Amino acid sequence: MITVENLTKSFPGKGSPVLALREVNLEISAGALYGVVGPARSGKSTLAKVVALQEKPDRGTVRLDGLNTAGLDGRRLREVRRQVAVLGTAPSLHAERTVAGNVAAPLEQLGVDGPQRRSRVGRVLDLAGLTQRAAQHPGELTEGQRRRVALARAVATGPAVLLADDPTAGLAAEEAGTVLTVLDRARAELGVTVVLTSQDPAVARRVCDEVALLDSGRVVEHGSLLDLLALPGSQTADALLPAIDTPRAQSAAYDRAADVVLIGFAAVGALLPEAATRFDVELSTIGGGLTRVGDTPVARFRVGVRGRQADAVLAWIGDHGAHVTHLAGGPRSIAA
């Protein structure tokens, strides 16, 4: 587990220091794929560097599996740093070495013997989908493939934590998706805890279990991604769920109007039709849409309801796992 307690970090600026992190508190479970998202200069990369023990905070503590890293130095600091691998946005590869040679480089530095080294290289190349590229050189690869080589190199030594700092920046959608798939496989197959930073919240939607949203060095919200998507007023939900742009007049034409978030196959596929049949109402989807969070379908719809039991049907939908936000609507509607 990674525990970040009251973390503050500043850098020299013109006249006064620039605060990059402000009292950041987070807990990242072992084996998680944790997303840290936010706009440029929100503090994501600084947080990654502090957790990787590449930067010292002004105040606060980073604990790795309960170990307070604040007082580490010398040999002990180097030992702990080896447990935290870092994958940057523009990783540097050795142009003269093959793909396999690049991945083997950190193992050579650690003195891992030949047979064990070849075994590890083969395993992580397979995980990264690069077995067929082992004998090629970086110059023969696409940018996405080079990032996967760097990712394979980062996990070859068996770190406990992998910090991936904006690893899909500048990549086309297909190559970005492949990099994210490899990060997910590293977590699942190697047991490494992955902390992924990105300016694009959609990256977190594809692979992350939990997420923290940073802005101006502060944690705006954090928690389970699916929980945040169901939270009224969540900035994460606004960024990731389908937009609703239904005109007010269209909503007002119904007895009741509400925004409904449905999570999971059963809720998305059957809850609204079952509710309409059970309460004998007209229930129409008048805005929103469907997306996926990892493998889980998630919908945000605006629904309009006509019928005597309009209030009752919305209450029933909320009681059966959906998240309902009532809107001012037709002549009998109320704000709730």
Side-chain angles (χ1 to χ4, degrees), residues 97-101 125 130-137 140:
R97 280 187 168 232
T98 64
V99 166
L125 286 179
L130 292 168
T131 301
Q132 302 303 316
R133 306 282 182 181
Q136 291 184 294
H137 289 79
E140 302 174 79

Side-chain angles (χ1 to χ4, degrees), residues 30-91:
L33 206 165
Y34 196 100
V36 179
V37 299
R41 298 185 177 87
S42 60
K44 305 181 303 298
S45 294
T46 301
L47 178 60
K49 289 176 181 177
V50 172
V51 172
L53 309 181
Q54 296 178 340
E55 294 275 2
K56 287 190 174 182
D58 300 344
R59 295 187 302 278
T61 304
V62 175
R63 299 181 189 275
L64 302 178
D65 288 335
L67 174 67
N68 186 343
T69 62
L72 299 178
D73 57 15
R75 179 178 178 181
R76 183 61 177 142
L77 177 60
R78 290 192 295 272
E79 290 174 350
V80 175
R81 276 179 176 165
R82 290 195 196 106
Q83 294 300 308
V84 184
V86 179
L87 175 66
T89 302

Side-chain angles (χ1 to χ4, degrees), residues 100-162:
N102 271 279
V103 175
L107 298 173
E108 293 170 0
Q109 293 172 1
L110 291 175
V112 178
D113 63 46
Q116 187 178 3
R117 187 170 68 241
R118 287 189 290 272
S119 175
R120 287 199 201 178
V121 169
R123 182 182 182 189
V124 295
L125 286 179
D126 178 67
L127 179 139
L130 292 168
T131 301
Q132 302 303 316
R133 306 282 182 181
Q136 291 184 294
H137 289 79
E140 302 174 79
L141 306 179
T142 67
E143 180 58 30
Q145 289 168 339
R146 285 192 286 271
R147 299 226 188 144
R148 284 189 279 145
V149 174
L151 202 166
R153 181 179 62 185
V155 299
T157 57
V161 176
L162 172 64

